[in-house]
Amino acid sequence: MDNLFYLSVLEIVIGLILSVGIFFMSFKLLKLFFFRNEVLEASNQAFAIFCAGIFISIGLILSELVPSITNVIRTAVVQDPGLSTGQVLTYAGLSLTVGFIIAVLINGAVFLLFSALTKGINEFESIKNNNASVATMVASLLVSITLIVKNSIAVLISTMVPFPEVSNFL
């Protein structure tokens, strides 16, 4: 019972640290590469809507990553004490890296799809110019595609978890 309690607390701490860190990094990268001069305090609702769509997408992907990382920790503590801390950190890092790459690919695919659907509209300029309708369309498309592929992301990430060997009884 004590191990389960401590594992649960560890999972909460890992989830909080990872999510806050990844959201912070994502926002900084978004501002650095695309919206250098935009600030949330400047009443640019389009920018806020766009950021919200990005954050929801990242949150959905993280919701699939964190259980895989905590499964590695559970496996190491409960089922396979032979897993070293380095191996656990390697699997966790690999899961985060794959998840981050998938998030970037999803975001890139959404921008390409939206650009293909709306020829003649520069979505980044429209968002900078406070065009909330464009930001809402991009954000909703981003969230929709993330919802569609999030279960596949979970399966992909779970294939990297080193579960202990189970003998075949038959």
Side-chain angles (χ1 to χ4, degrees):
M1 184 77 163
D2 288 332
N3 280 344
L4 185 59
F5 174 78
Y6 292 123
L7 283 173
S8 299
V9 170
L10 183 62
E11 288 178 26
I12 292 169
V13 170
I14 288 171
L16 285 173
I17 290 171
L18 288 177
S19 60
V20 169
I22 288 175
F23 283 129
F24 177 78
M25 185 176 60
S26 299
F27 184 73
K28 290 297 183 184
L29 288 173
L30 185 66
K31 294 259 310 158
L32 178 69
F33 289 117
F34 301 109
F35 299 101
R36 201 174 301 255
N37 297 324
E38 296 301 315
V39 290
L40 289 174
E41 296 85 23
S43 297
N44 188 340
Q45 291 179 347
F47 180 65
I49 292 167
F50 179 72
C51 287
I54 296 279
F55 290 155
I56 292 169
S57 173
I58 291 170
L60 289 168
I61 293 171
L62 279 178
S63 72
E64 301 299 332
L65 290 178
V66 172
S68 293
I69 293 170
T70 56
N71 280 340
V72 171
I73 295 170
R74 256 191 228 136
T75 301
V77 171
V78 177
Q79 297 173 351
D80 189 6
L83 280 175
S84 69
T85 304
Q87 289 173 311
V88 170
L89 291 175
T90 300
Y91 289 118
L94 183 63
S95 296
L96 284 174
T97 302
V98 169
F100 183 74
I101 290 169
I102 290 172
V104 169
L105 290 174
I106 289 171
N107 291 335
V110 166
F111 295 128
L112 289 175
L113 178 64
F114 190 77
S115 292
L117 292 174
T118 57
K119 293 197 185 298
I121 296 177
N122 183 339
E123 55 274 347
F124 292 118
E125 282 301 316
S126 294
I127 292 170
K128 285 180 183 178
N129 293 331
N130 201 16
N131 187 337
S133 61
V134 170
T136 303
M137 289 296 297
V138 172
S140 63
L141 189 60
L142 177 62
V143 170
S144 298
I145 290 175
T146 304
L147 282 169
I148 292 167
V149 299
K150 79 180 191 107
N151 290 333
S152 299
I153 294 169
V155 171
L156 176 68
I157 298 299
S158 69
T159 62
M160 293 183 257
V161 176
F163 291 109
E165 297 278 332
V166 177
S167 62
N168 189 352
F169 298 120
L170 302 175

